[in-house]
Amino acid sequence: MYKRKKFGKICLCGVLVVVAIMTVSCSSGLEGIAEMLVEEPDPYDPGIQIEIVSSSEEETQLEESSEEEEKVTAEETSEALPPIEPPRFYPGDIIEAEHVLTVDVDKFFIISPISDPVFKRMDGNSYRPGCPVPREELRYLRILHYDFSGNIRVGELVCHQSVSEDLLRIFRQLYDIGYPVEKVRLVDDYGADDDRSCSDNNTSCFNYRTVAGTKRLSLHALGLAVDINPIYNPYVIWRSDGTSVCVPAEGEAYMDRKKDFPYKIDEEDICCRLFREAGFTWGGGWEGHKDYMHFSKGVRPER
């Protein structure tokens, strides 16, 4: 069983210390023992605190043997033992299914303003001078997703506030059906280099940049576009001379969409259907060139 606890509370380690504190609180009524509180997760912090506590059966056994243990005051304990913070989950971390159920899956799917720690990662990378979108109009999304090995991982996205609810709902639906998305990290972890991010098959959204091969501002620069599993759903340009361009280059084996292979997005794919139902445009439906990874919502198609 797991429980969140408030920071700053005295943390007890070892059977002797726990039993002694329980004995003191029951027998002498000391007022120095902090009350147990449940803390809601901070929506501005991508980490989730989880603390492991003993089962009710173990607690009963400890209570029955407490009379034989040495008594220690709460003040003495706090001086003798440094506070121990519960483990935290961060973007990219693997989480066991039982942990998700204990914490409540809804707690992992959040929308929040761009906090200072998140903006510190973005500043000078995905968010650079000249960006037409104020920081206040961007939103940070924390989600859960299944990777290609079936692990549950924590993911993160930055998007425009106008599409944040749509994206959170879609990624929750994909998670609920076990749809595989290999990685979902901020493009800032790749130095805001879209080629590096796509080559690592990373799913991302906001990045102040132009459309590949042009000087036109991308809808990613406005936080209105997201790329899903880029290697298996590449951006492809077919030239009149019969040559082609594939981005990322690692996706060349997946340019022929008539082939059957895993993680392919097509019109029948549930991912494509969910985005289209929410009013997004799919780049795989464009004429001339295809951007199979791409879903966007804006005033113009990105092509």
Side-chain angles (χ1 to χ4, degrees):
M1 181 174 67
Y2 296 79
K3 182 188 297 182
R4 294 184 188 79
K5 295 174 64 179
K6 188 171 183 179
F7 283 114
K9 186 170 56 178
I10 299 171
C11 296
L12 308 181
C13 294
V15 172
L16 292 177
V17 175
V18 173
V19 172
I21 291 300
M22 293 169 62
T23 302
V24 171
S25 73
C26 293
S27 61
S28 60
L30 292 178
E31 299 178 355
I33 300 177
E35 180 183 4
M36 304 284 288
L37 296 176
V38 176
E39 180 187 28
E40 290 298 320
D42 181 0
Y44 300 93
D45 188 339
I48 289 183
Q49 284 194 308
I50 308 297
E51 181 178 5
I52 301 176
V53 298
S54 60
S55 66
S56 58
E57 180 179 351
E58 292 172 331
E59 292 173 351
T60 301
Q61 293 175 351
L62 290 175
E63 289 176 354
E64 291 175 350
S65 62
S66 63
E67 295 180 357
E68 300 176 3
E69 303 294 344
E70 179 182 358
K71 296 181 180 180
V72 185
T73 65
E75 290 77 12
E76 290 172 344
T77 300
S78 63
E79 293 176 358
L81 300 174
I84 300 175
E85 292 189 359
R88 298 171 68 83
F89 296 124
Y90 291 95
D93 285 354
I94 293 176
I95 302 182
E96 297 298 329
E98 62 184 39
H99 294 173
V100 176
L101 294 176
T102 301
V103 175
D104 180 1
V105 64
D106 290 335
K107 301 298 183 183
F108 287 93
F109 287 83
I110 66 164
I111 300 173
S112 67
I114 304 300
S115 66
D116 289 340
V118 171
F119 189 70
K120 185 176 181 180
R121 295 167 61 192
M122 298 170 57
D123 193 19
N125 290 305
S126 64
Y127 197 96
R128 298 183 298 282
C131 181
V133 183
R135 169 183 170 180
E136 293 74 21
E137 293 184 11
L138 296 175
R139 292 293 180 267
Y140 177 84
L141 274 60
R142 184 180 63 207
I143 65 169
L144 291 181
H145 66 97
Y146 285 90
D147 66 17
F148 286 178
S149 297
N151 300 308
I152 299 175
R153 290 185 183 269
V154 179
E156 58 177 353
L157 294 160
V158 167
C159 66
H160 192 271
Q161 60 182 357
S162 63
V163 297
S164 59
E165 294 286 351
D166 287 331
L167 289 181
L168 192 73
R169 183 182 66 258
I170 291 171
F171 276 99
R172 174 61 189 272
Q173 291 172 313
L174 293 176
Y175 169 78
D176 287 342
I177 63 175
Y179 189 93
V181 182
E182 187 171 20
K183 299 177 181 180
V184 188
R185 303 295 302 273
L186 298 191
V187 72
D188 305 279
D189 289 354
Y190 300 86
D193 186 326
D194 193 61
D195 289 339
R196 283 181 55 200
S197 176
C198 288
S199 293
D200 198 34
N201 204 37
N202 182 56
T203 292
S204 65
C205 183
F206 173 78
N207 189 14
Y208 178 45
R209 64 173 179 82
T210 57
V211 176
T214 75
K215 295 182 179 180
R216 291 183 290 108
L217 202 61
S218 167
L219 288 179
H220 286 278
L222 307 179
L224 297 174
V226 60
D227 292 337
I228 309 290
N229 290 333
I231 288 180
Y232 297 87
N233 303 283
Y235 172 76
V236 181
I237 298 177
W238 298 98
R239 297 192 177 114
S240 57
D241 60 2
T243 61
S244 62
V245 175
C246 179
V247 179
E250 290 81 357
E252 288 184 2
Y254 308 104
M255 291 172 60
D256 186 353
R257 308 309 281 187
K258 295 180 181 179
K259 294 181 178 180
D260 187 22
F261 51 84
Y263 320 123
K264 180 175 71 173
I265 296 176
D266 57 24
E267 291 183 345
E268 300 302 317
D269 184 65
I270 184 62
C271 179
C272 185
R273 297 207 310 267
L274 289 175
F275 272 99
R276 282 182 159 179
E277 288 171 3
F280 285 79
T281 298
W282 177 46
W286 295 341
E287 296 182 1
H289 66 266
K290 305 292 184 180
D291 197 352
Y292 298 106
M293 71 182 85
H294 178 99
F295 295 95
S296 59
K297 200 172 191 179
V299 296
R300 58 178 173 77
E302 187 173 304
R303 56 194 173 100

